[in-house]
Amino acid sequence: MRTSINVVARANVYSANEIVRIFYEVVSDVGLNVTELAEIQPTIEKGLRAWLAMRKLEAAYLEVFDPVTQVVRCRTDLNIRYTSETNERHRTDIDRVKTATSSLGRYPGCKYRVVVSLADGAPDVGGWDTTTLGSVDHLTQRDVGDVIDTAAVQSRMFTWS
């Protein structure tokens, strides 16, 4: 039992870290300043780790938008699946991520934000507020495939541009 709990705990921490790492790739590849992400990283990680541990995180999104019109220019979705495996592994297909993010385009002057969708019963975490995602009806979705694979959490990535 103790080994299983440790495997899950490590998988949750790893997954939270990798979600943030993927978002850094996106921000950098679309030509935006990663400093803003670094400043809010502790808050993002706190929320992701809490919600992953409680199996309440459904998806994490990085939304790039025009600050004047509020129109979404591109978005990266990381959909979460929970597993109950006991074979410890920690893999991220960063090459797949980089290939996908390199084709999103460049958006100088845009802003970005991290948004999550949560299952019912998810606890409030300081620094996070309720919001809604911007519309991506005008964008094209691409299925990047599975990018994070651990014993407890897997994530499939989609991009919109």
Side-chain angles (χ1 to χ4, degrees):
M1 178 72 140
R2 184 173 180 85
T3 302
S4 178
I5 291 170
N6 289 338
V7 168
V8 171
R10 282 191 295 271
N12 289 334
V13 169
Y14 177 86
S15 297
N17 291 347
E18 291 303 284
I19 290 169
V20 173
R21 178 183 177 199
I22 290 168
F23 287 166
Y24 271 109
E25 288 290 335
V26 174
V27 170
S28 177
D29 282 353
V30 300
L32 300 178
N33 188 342
V34 297
T35 303
E36 294 170 21
L37 186 57
E39 290 171 357
I40 60 173
Q41 183 174 341
T43 300
I44 293 168
E45 288 177 347
K46 181 173 55 173
L48 294 176
R49 288 179 182 163
W51 297 317
L52 285 166
M54 298 182 73
R55 294 182 163 235
K56 297 295 185 180
L57 181 67
E58 295 176 333
Y61 309 92
L62 183 89
E63 192 175 75
V64 176
F65 61 95
D66 182 307
V68 175
T69 64
Q70 299 298 305
V71 171
V72 176
R73 302 298 304 272
C74 71
R75 190 176 84 195
T76 299
D77 303 0
L78 294 171
N79 294 346
I80 305 299
R81 289 185 316 275
Y82 296 98
T83 66
S84 300
E85 300 174 28
T86 56
N87 294 331
E88 188 162 13
R89 64 184 180 284
H90 302 94
R91 291 189 291 260
T92 301
D93 192 341
I94 201 66
D95 291 333
R96 180 179 284 193
V97 169
K98 287 180 179 185
T99 298
T101 61
S102 69
S103 66
L104 289 174
R106 307 280 287 177
Y107 301 100
C110 282
K111 296 286 185 186
Y112 57 87
R113 65 186 185 139
V114 174
V115 179
V116 296
S117 62
L118 304 171
D120 289 341
D124 290 335
V125 173
W128 289 83
D129 292 318
T130 301
T131 190
T132 56
L133 288 166
S135 173
V136 290
D137 291 346
H138 59 288
L139 301 175
T140 301
Q141 182 186 44
R142 291 172 190 81
D143 183 349
V144 177
D146 292 333
V147 294
I148 299 173
D149 181 27
T150 73
V153 179
Q154 296 173 334
S155 181
R156 188 168 195 89
M157 182 173 163
F158 296 87
T159 60
W160 297 82
S161 60

